[in-house]
Amino acid sequence: MSNLLESIYDIALEAGAAIMERYHGNIQVEEKADSSPVTEADLAANTIIVEQLTRLTPEIPLLTEESAHTPWSERQEWSTFWLVDPLDGTKEFLRKNGEFTVNIALIENGKPVLAVVHAPALEKTWLGDSDKAWLQTKAGREQIKARLSTVPIVVGSRSHPSPDMADYLSNLGEHKMIEVGSSLKFCMVAEGRAQYYPRLGPTMMWDTAAGQCIAESAGAKVHQFNGDELNYHREDLLNPYFIVEVA
């Protein structure tokens, strides 16, 4: 495992610790322009990640949900950049169900190639380097692989139900359905605990890049419903619909 991936892991742990310091207190919530919630925990984690990544790789630009978004006129020149969601699943954080993550991904030529997804309340971290994926827990670190199941498990969003999902599931055949928050859905496919994650609702680039890298590093496939790849070198920050599935 590369030193860079280990460094990202350490940064994600530090951001997660800052989130947990605020998890059990009185959480102040503000509303962003798109009506999504933001808390002190989002902003504290963002500050840590931006400062640490800038120190670690000063030559690599950053795009993070909670910082001013660099215009496309500048971003289009980026062949490599960090893509960050300092607290993915703010609604789950507010519900105190533990299903929120720190997402850090390195993008090269439009693809996530190195990533960490850290779930501080669950004390779990997933790491991926485009070749292998690992799960880190208090018990240690183990390599994980996506795998098929006789009765496939489908994971869907807990906070963002989609009417299109019912149509998709009706055509899938026998399956079990589980609702999970944040990028944990990618990680469940990566671990082999689920086989499909169809996303038929809105997501932003920073919501998906790290999870996609983990899933693909574990052998799963991530693509749009027309078969095209998800490309992170684009002007629109909103993702198209996509599916994560075991190959």
Side-chain angles (χ1 to χ4, degrees), residues 174-203:
E174 186 182 5
H175 65 275
K176 296 178 181 178
M177 179 74 191
I178 300 176
E179 292 182 342
V180 184
S182 72
S183 57
L184 291 171
K185 296 180 281 293
F186 288 96
C187 300
M188 288 184 66
V189 176
E191 281 187 62
R193 294 194 292 136
Q195 284 68 48
Y196 295 98
Y197 166 32
R199 187 59 185 229
L200 295 137
T203 57

Side-chain angles (χ1 to χ4, degrees), residues 5-226:
L5 186 55
E6 290 290 359
S7 296
I8 307 168
Y9 170 62
D10 291 339
I11 293 169
L13 291 185
E14 186 176 344
I19 291 169
M20 294 307 293
E21 285 175 7
R22 295 156 174 84
Y23 188 43
H24 297 293
N26 293 320
I27 302 169
Q28 298 297 315
V29 184
E30 297 180 13
E31 195 171 90
K32 294 191 287 190
D34 63 358
S35 298
S36 62
V38 62
T39 71
E40 181 188 355
D42 295 76
L43 302 178
N46 188 67
T47 297
I48 289 168
I49 295 169
V50 170
E51 288 179 352
Q52 296 284 6
L53 286 180
T54 301
R55 186 177 299 121
L56 179 67
T57 56
E59 73 285 1
I60 300 179
L62 286 106
L63 180 63
T64 161
E65 178 178 12
E66 304 305 346
S67 296
H69 299 153
T70 307
W72 174 241
S73 58
E74 183 177 341
R75 284 194 295 114
Q76 65 182 338
E77 304 298 328
W78 295 357
S79 59
T80 302
F81 65 99
W82 294 108
L83 186 52
V84 174
D85 191 340
L87 203 174
D88 181 28
T90 301
K91 291 181 179 179
E92 315 307 331
F93 173 80
L94 294 171
R95 291 173 180 147
K96 299 187 185 297
N97 65 15
E99 296 177 358
F100 52 89
T101 57
V102 177
N103 299 343
I104 304 176
L106 182 65
I107 308 297
E108 290 183 353
N109 300 315
K111 291 181 63 68
V113 297
L114 202 71
V116 169
V117 171
H118 175 50
L122 305 180
E123 298 184 305
K124 290 183 174 183
T125 310
W126 296 263
L127 307 92
D129 67 359
S130 298
D131 181 46
K132 296 179 181 177
W134 299 267
L135 169 62
Q136 177 78 48
T137 65
K138 288 191 289 187
R141 184 177 297 179
E142 61 175 326
Q143 188 177 345
I144 54 176
K145 281 279 192 183
R147 60 179 182 268
L148 296 168
S149 175
T150 305
V151 178
I153 293 176
V154 182
V155 282
S157 174
R158 186 182 297 283
S159 295
H160 302 278
S162 164
D164 292 327
M165 177 69 93
D167 292 337
Y168 172 83
L169 294 175
S170 67
N171 293 318
L172 185 60
E174 186 182 5
H175 65 275
K176 296 178 181 178
M177 179 74 191
I178 300 176
E179 292 182 342
V180 184
S182 72
S183 57
L184 291 171
K185 296 180 281 293
F186 288 96
C187 300
M188 288 184 66
V189 176
E191 281 187 62
R193 294 194 292 136
Q195 284 68 48
Y196 295 98
Y197 166 32
R199 187 59 185 229
L200 295 137
T203 57
M204 306 300 288
M205 290 202 300
W206 45 74
D207 295 323
T208 59
Q212 177 177 346
C213 185
I214 303 298
E216 291 181 335
S217 297
K221 298 287 187 183
V222 182
H223 56 84
Q224 299 180 48
F225 279 86
N226 65 4

